[in-house]
Amino acid sequence: MSTASITEDALKYTRVAMLLHWTIALLILANIALGLAASLLPTSVLPDTSVRFVIDTHKSIGITVLGLAIVRVLWRLTHRPPSLPGVFAGWEKTAAHVAHIALYVLIFALPLSGWAHDSAWNAAATHPMHLFGLVPWPRMGFLMHLDPALKEQLHTRLGTLHTWFGYALYVVLALHILGALKHQWIDRHSVLRRMLP
């Protein structure tokens, strides 16, 4: 193996990190589309039965992202990521680290707030949750057993929180993508190769 090849490999993420990155990214994009469809499309386009299917799929993907995010954090803690290229300015390195931390926080905050929102739903007890219609999934018990009036308030507030986390994700995700494209196409730094097999 040539020295250039060894150096290039040292700047790449592991294959497991790549798989987790792209799987989580695709699931998040799918969930954004499902969330927007459920909230924006009129009932003439998306009838009640279809809305329920979309929302249930959105929940299932969210829980899947949460599980994969836990695996990703554990992998990152045990496998040092490659250093950013030395040509990056100090502020660019700081911005990249801040964006990554924000993405990790939101990858956890969104499914957890959605799960809590769903658990505080007054009809949750009569509408069991199943991951992808197959695996029974519990609600958060401490929320399920609250007074119905308090649950209704929490359901509304947690839904608002979940929505705001979604808006924050749109911003951070856009900055993350634009930053990667800037480095790749304008600065001519091969940053995309770090996350490609």
Side-chain angles (χ1 to χ4, degrees), residues 57-125:
T57 304
H58 179 81
K59 293 176 189 177
S60 296
I61 291 175
I63 294 297
T64 304
V65 167
L66 180 61
L68 290 174
I70 292 168
V71 173
R72 184 172 179 181
V73 167
L74 292 174
W75 185 263
R76 181 152 184 157
L77 289 174
T78 56
H79 296 79
R80 186 184 174 99
S83 301
L84 288 169
V87 292
F88 276 34
W91 71 268
E92 290 177 313
K93 290 181 180 180
T94 300
H97 288 307
V98 169
H100 273 109
I101 291 168
L103 279 172
Y104 275 106
V105 168
L106 290 167
I107 286 171
F108 280 94
L110 267 160
L112 286 172
S113 62
W115 188 8
H117 169 65
D118 182 61
S119 299
W121 178 34
N122 274 327

Side-chain angles (χ1 to χ4, degrees), residues 41-61:
L41 289 178
T43 53
S44 58
V45 176
L46 206 62
D48 284 349
T49 52
S50 297
V51 168
R52 187 79 261 146
F53 174 77
V54 167
I55 291 172
D56 287 346
T57 304
H58 179 81
K59 293 176 189 177
S60 296
I61 291 175

Side-chain angles (χ1 to χ4, degrees), residues 9 12-22 75 195-197:
D9 285 345
K12 288 183 141 198
Y13 283 87
T14 63
R15 293 206 179 254
V16 172
M18 290 180 199
L19 179 63
L20 289 168
H21 174 275
W22 291 113
W75 185 263
M195 197 48 91
L196 294 173

Side-chain angles (χ1 to χ4, degrees), residues 121-175:
W121 178 34
N122 274 327
T126 57
H127 291 76
M129 185 178 162
H130 291 80
L131 294 184
F132 301 104
L134 301 171
V135 182
W137 187 261
R139 266 46 181 248
M140 295 178 178
F142 70 97
L143 290 171
M144 293 274 294
H145 298 103
L146 294 174
D147 175 74
L150 178 57
K151 276 175 67 175
E152 189 60 40
Q153 286 181 8
L154 282 174
H155 180 69
T156 301
R157 289 179 183 171
L158 288 165
T160 302
L161 182 65
H162 185 65
T163 300
W164 281 105
F165 281 148
Y167 292 148
L169 179 69
Y170 301 160
V171 172
V172 176
L173 204 54
L175 291 173

